[in-house]
Amino acid sequence: DLVTGVQTCALPILTQQFIEQLQSSFEGEIDCSEATRQVFSTDNSIYQYHPQAIIYPKHQHDIEMIMRLVSEHQYQSVVLTARGGGTGTNGQSLTNGIVIDVSRHMNKILSIDVQQKKAIVQAGVVKDQLNAELKKYGLFFAPELSTSNRATIGGMINTDASGQGSCRYGKTHHHVTRLSTVLRGGEILHSQALKRESWQQQILDKTPFQKNLYHQIFTVAKINQDIIKNSFPIM
């Protein structure tokens, strides 16, 4: 039931319409077979949710297409959930909606700058895959996870994975300098850590939609600063 078999799947009407419209210029794969949906109904947690379909984007343009389509008024209720290696223990990658699996195609190490000790990777790159390349230069990406042969960098960023050694090397966010994120509507957000006293000046080149996101995030952080400091340890 890859793409051409969508018509035979027992999908909700809205989901079927969404997939059929996406197919027109989508270059990845779409699978709504019962066998695949069963596989993606579980992860490394105790939970189980049956997705309606699995989408495998081939590249960033495919994701942009998905996010533009889901922003249209008739598809506002379509649920999308990103998935990497499915190693989360709290059911983060599970959904009753549509799974977007970036581990099949978007798993390339784009560059490694040995001098700057920086690497640019796609979200589906597995931690051990990255470390196998970094080892050639005497480098590694911390922290160490028990599921490092399956966990993707995108998933580690999403959950701020820690693992053993995090007390010495820090959590995932301590080793991420920049992100490129596809937002709802298809916009690309290039983000990095901003200083609290000057963040408004640093987002002048952003779109109105992106500026609004920054304002909401910093407002929430400001209002809940005491709760955040008292609830999460600072490393």
Side-chain angles (χ1 to χ4, degrees):
D1 289 343
L2 284 172
V3 180
T4 55
V6 170
Q7 292 283 356
T8 65
C9 298
L11 295 176
I13 294 176
L14 185 63
T15 302
Q16 183 163 323
Q17 291 174 343
F18 178 83
I19 290 176
E20 289 175 350
Q21 189 168 342
L22 179 64
Q23 286 176 326
S24 60
S25 51
F26 187 74
E27 295 187 9
E29 296 93 45
I30 302 173
D31 191 340
C32 61
S33 64
E34 179 58 33
T36 301
R37 291 168 58 214
Q38 186 68 32
V39 169
F40 280 80
S41 69
T42 60
D43 59 4
N44 205 32
S45 71
I46 62 173
Y47 308 109
Q48 183 174 32
Y49 290 93
H50 283 83
Q52 298 170 15
I54 317 301
I55 296 179
Y56 305 95
K58 186 162 285 187
H59 39 59
Q60 179 177 299
H61 295 304
D62 275 349
I63 296 182
E64 292 175 28
M65 193 182 312
I66 294 169
M67 299 309 287
R68 282 195 297 268
L69 185 59
V70 79
S71 67
E72 294 184 7
H73 179 73
Q74 66 268 35
Y75 298 125
Q76 292 292 305
S77 61
V78 171
V79 175
L80 302 174
T81 300
R83 178 167 175 140
T87 60
T89 56
N90 297 307
Q92 299 99 320
S93 66
L94 302 182
T95 180
N96 288 325
I98 298 174
V99 171
I100 301 178
D101 186 321
V102 298
S103 66
R104 173 175 288 189
H105 298 297
M106 300 188 67
N107 53 17
K108 299 176 181 61
I109 300 172
L110 302 179
S111 68
I112 295 176
D113 186 330
V114 179
Q115 297 300 319
Q116 296 292 323
K117 297 183 179 179
K118 292 182 179 180
I120 300 176
V121 305
Q122 294 181 318
V125 167
V126 172
K127 182 179 183 292
D128 278 1
Q129 172 193 355
L130 175 59
N131 275 342
E133 290 298 312
L134 294 177
K135 187 176 181 180
K136 300 174 184 178
Y137 310 103
L139 304 172
F140 70 100
F141 182 76
E144 184 59 46
L145 308 178
S146 61
T147 56
S148 61
N149 64 342
R150 308 182 300 285
T152 61
I153 301 301
M156 291 179 65
I157 293 171
N158 184 57
T159 61
D160 195 18
S162 53
Q164 62 183 359
S166 61
C167 290
R168 177 175 180 180
Y169 297 109
K171 299 181 179 181
T172 298
H173 80 269
H174 292 105
H175 304 279
V176 177
T177 57
R178 296 173 183 267
L179 293 174
S180 292
T181 308
V182 183
L183 304 176
R184 194 180 188 93
E187 287 188 14
I188 309 300
L189 172 63
H190 300 290
S191 60
Q192 64 188 84
L194 302 180
K195 294 183 178 180
R196 188 177 304 172
E197 64 272 13
S198 60
W199 67 269
Q200 291 176 312
Q201 287 71 43
Q202 297 180 65
I203 65 169
L204 294 177
D205 62 334
K206 304 298 183 185
T207 67
F209 178 57
Q210 294 177 16
K211 288 179 181 177
N212 185 50
L213 287 178
Y214 278 100
H215 279 281
Q216 290 186 48
I217 291 171
F218 275 90
T219 298
V220 169
K222 182 178 180 180
I223 294 174
N224 298 283
Q225 192 61 218
D226 291 338
I227 297 176
I228 294 171
K229 287 182 176 180
N230 292 330
S231 301
F232 296 95
I234 298 176
M235 296 182 61

